[in-house]
Amino acid sequence: MSSNAGTAARPSRSMVRSLRRWESALVLILIAVIAFATIESPDFLTTTTIFFGGLDIGQIAIMALPLTLIVITGEIDLSVAAMLGLSACVFGYAFEHGTGAALAIVIALLVGALGGSLNGFLIARLGLPSIAVTIGTLTMFRGIAEVVLGNSEVTNYPTGLTVIGSKPIFAHLAYPFLFFLILAAIYAVVLHKTPVGRSLYAIGLNKEAAFFSGIRVNRTKFILYLLSGVVCAFAGIVYALQNDSSIYTAGQGLELNVVAVVLFGGVSIFGGRGSVLGVVLSVLIVAASQVAFTLINISSEEQQIIFGVLLLFSVLVPNSAAGYRRLQAWINQVRRSAPAAGAGPSG
Amino acid sequence: MSVTKAPQVVAHPAPAARQHRVAETVSRFRPAVIALLILVIFGGTTIKNSSFDGLSNIQAMLSISAIYLLLSVGETMVIVTRNVDLSVGSTLGISAFAVGEIYNHDPHMTMVVIFLAGIGIGAVCGAIIGLITTVARVPSLVVTLAALYIIRGLDNIVGSGVQIEPSVIPHTLVSLGYSTVVGIPWLFVLVVVVALAAAFWMRSFPAGRELYAIGSDPEAAVLAGIPVARRVFTVFVISGALAGLGGVLFLAQQATVDSTAGTGYELVIVTAVVVGGVAIFGGSGSVIGAVLGALLLQVINQALVAAQISAFWDSAIAGAMLLAAISFDRLISFRASRALVATEGVSYVE
């Protein structure tokens, strides 16, 4: 904000505009959730909340980051949770066959890179619609995970690693959540402060214009999907270690939750709009409300409804001004046409 | 192709038209190719495993597939208009549960009421989604994703602590799940009738054709005077109603229901529809193709079990089929557009 004397009394244009951003609404919602939870349950404002809230949301939060960038370019990746499952299984398989944890992690990340490249190749190179491709790879990755592990479960990972699911690291943060925060910081810098990051908005707003202004649209998209594969594979390793278990159903059905978190964070499904801050706030709201609702005995089913309603609002509210104008125009049109219709068919 | 360098000045439309016709023929053949694949799988599994060839196995297969086929009919209509309905699984769940609840209160309720109730609940869900999508003009992907959670949540709340015992479900309904007419399961017959009606409507009625116009170019459709909002609203109501009907059939098939019924169906259905040749961004595809796509995936699924190949391969194959299907479509459209460019010098064809 500029240090203009007038801003204190009369908010400047840019300030008003920044207040009208969806992120501001998210901050208010977050405050409301925390206030509500604190009043309703004395157990909310404790360190356990921070730990378990972060632990529960960890993998969804991590997968939301690469998806944010992809949605900003106007594409989508529904294969994130299946990649998590595949990576958890490959990690477990490799570990079980005596590769040792370090090599198993490398192998799982490589599988992530491979799966991400497949998405990237089909979408960026062949130009296939990303929603269809990633529904396909979603099914395929989950299928390969089934083939790799079958019905068996890999467990008994070294306790030195499974600690990420049982102990906080510092300031009562769970490891998975700390991983998310570190990644979020990196993603925020890349998206908002680098030319490559800014170019994602250009791609999302107008692919052709972006291409003709010298942005390598296809290469950028390919890299985004590659990164998404690697990051989701990382989330899969975190999942396996945190739960001390690798099964082929790991993270099944989470893809839509991840999409919902991203969209609730104010990222436009049409591309070109959204911020890492919004997604981080969205993650915090979901994490806080999960803990809060559990504490005050709102069942997870009712939480689903609240989440669905919030998701709906996240698209309705930014659209409400335009929607209101359309409604006005429509009412006027009906008013005008009503007498004309009464007069019978004319011309 | 027979296309050589066309004269520069006056482009002859015939080669392009022929090329276009090739593409069209191939896409028309899509249902036939899928049907052939289904027969091959039937045949192949029969040879591999002699216990599979029994008529009852095929009957069971058709019966189990019926609900997926039904949902893919509604989903096709929605996707053709360049929308998507992710709420079908939840709608099916709540309808199945509500119908079960009716039986809990009155086990002697007539079938007509039951079917109307199921369809009605689905239609109401679809109508709400359709209203939000068309009035607020927000993307259907987000609206139906939200609806997926909201409806499933309602289903869970209504369903918590309530048991639908198989004993309260009357025999007339349950027998729909396994009885056959001339060897074909009733469920399957019902679904085929619905699919044929929908296919006929989309093929031969102005309103049905308008769905394709909307999906090809929504703005052009508005300018052409098509009531876009009303048509989109209608397809969401139809999709919801069919999901509601699916709920009744689910109850008939399972004779019991809990609040997780239909979970995860949405992406399976979208996969089936796209494998069946419906373009994910609307404007092309047929109900028959989509239904055959759904049947193919179900048949593969069950053939793997019957042939004692590890059923774990099922998802991997389904995913690969989807990728192959869209890659094939891309190839066809690419060739067709290149032929157009070569013959007419037009480059605006994507």
Side-chain angles (χ1 to χ4, degrees), chain A residues 126-307:
Chain A
L126 298 188
L128 300 175
S130 57
I131 182 164
V133 167
T134 55
I135 288 178
T137 48
L138 156 117
T139 322
M140 203 164 83
F141 293 162
R142 184 67 68 192
I144 298 171
E146 285 185 65
V147 173
V148 168
L149 273 195
N151 271 330
S152 63
E153 180 186 5
V154 180
T155 182
N156 290 327
Y157 290 117
T159 44
L161 291 172
T162 53
V163 72
I164 68 169
S166 55
K167 284 200 170 58
I169 173 162
F170 68 84
H172 309 286
L173 280 178
Y175 277 90
F177 199 72
L178 184 74
F179 296 149
F180 163 67
L181 289 180
I182 294 169
L183 278 173
I186 298 170
Y187 267 93
V189 170
V190 170
L191 179 62
H192 299 300
K193 299 291 175 200
T194 67
V196 178
R198 304 306 302 170
S199 75
L200 302 184
Y201 291 94
I203 296 173
L205 287 173
N206 191 330
K207 211 166 57 176
E208 277 79 32
F211 177 75
F212 285 116
S213 56
I215 296 169
R216 297 177 175 184
V217 175
N218 288 340
R219 181 198 274 200
T220 310
K221 279 187 184 170
F222 181 86
I223 292 170
L224 285 185
Y225 279 99
L226 177 68
L227 265 181
S228 174
V230 174
V231 172
C232 294
F234 174 70
I237 298 165
V238 172
Y239 178 99
L241 293 176
Q242 175 186 331
N243 299 308
D244 193 12
S245 150
S246 287
I247 41 172
Y248 81 82
T249 54
Q252 194 154 37
L254 281 191
E255 51 276 339
L256 295 183
N257 297 31
V258 181
V259 172
V261 163
V262 170
L263 297 180
F264 182 54
V267 182
S268 164
I269 189 80
F270 296 124
R273 189 164 59 81
S275 69
V276 171
L277 177 67
V279 174
V280 171
L281 286 169
S282 159
V283 163
L284 289 175
I285 291 170
V286 174
S289 43
Q290 269 179 3
V291 177
F293 292 152
T294 313
L295 279 177
I296 56 182
N297 285 327
I298 291 181
S299 64
S300 59
E301 292 83 44
E302 287 158 304
Q303 292 175 29
Q304 278 187 318
I305 298 183
I306 296 170
F307 186 65

Side-chain angles (χ1 to χ4, degrees), chain B residues 64-106:
Chain B
I64 292 171
S65 317
I67 290 173
Y68 290 93
L69 269 56
L70 185 67
L71 297 194
S72 64
V73 173
E75 191 72 62
T76 303
M77 292 183 180
V78 174
I79 291 183
V80 161
T81 64
R82 203 181 279 189
N83 282 293
V84 71
D85 189 354
L86 295 178
S87 69
V88 286
S90 296
T91 306
L92 179 143
I94 203 166
S95 155
F97 202 87
V99 170
E101 261 295 87
I102 295 177
Y103 277 133
N104 254 356
H105 289 289
D106 180 7

Side-chain angles (χ1 to χ4, degrees), chain B residues 196-267:
Chain B
L196 287 178
F200 183 57
W201 183 66
M202 285 184 77
R203 200 180 145 274
S204 306
F205 279 66
R209 299 310 301 168
E210 282 169 8
L211 302 185
Y212 289 96
I214 295 168
S216 298
D217 192 334
E219 278 149 35
V222 172
L223 294 177
I226 294 171
V228 173
R230 201 193 306 163
R231 295 282 176 267
V232 171
F233 175 78
T234 310
V235 293
F236 273 108
V237 173
I238 294 175
S239 176
L242 290 180
L245 176 60
V248 181
L249 301 189
F250 186 92
L251 191 64
Q253 204 171 60
Q254 311 282 328
T256 178
V257 62
D258 61 15
S259 52
T260 62
T263 307
Y265 275 29
E266 51 281 338
L267 293 182

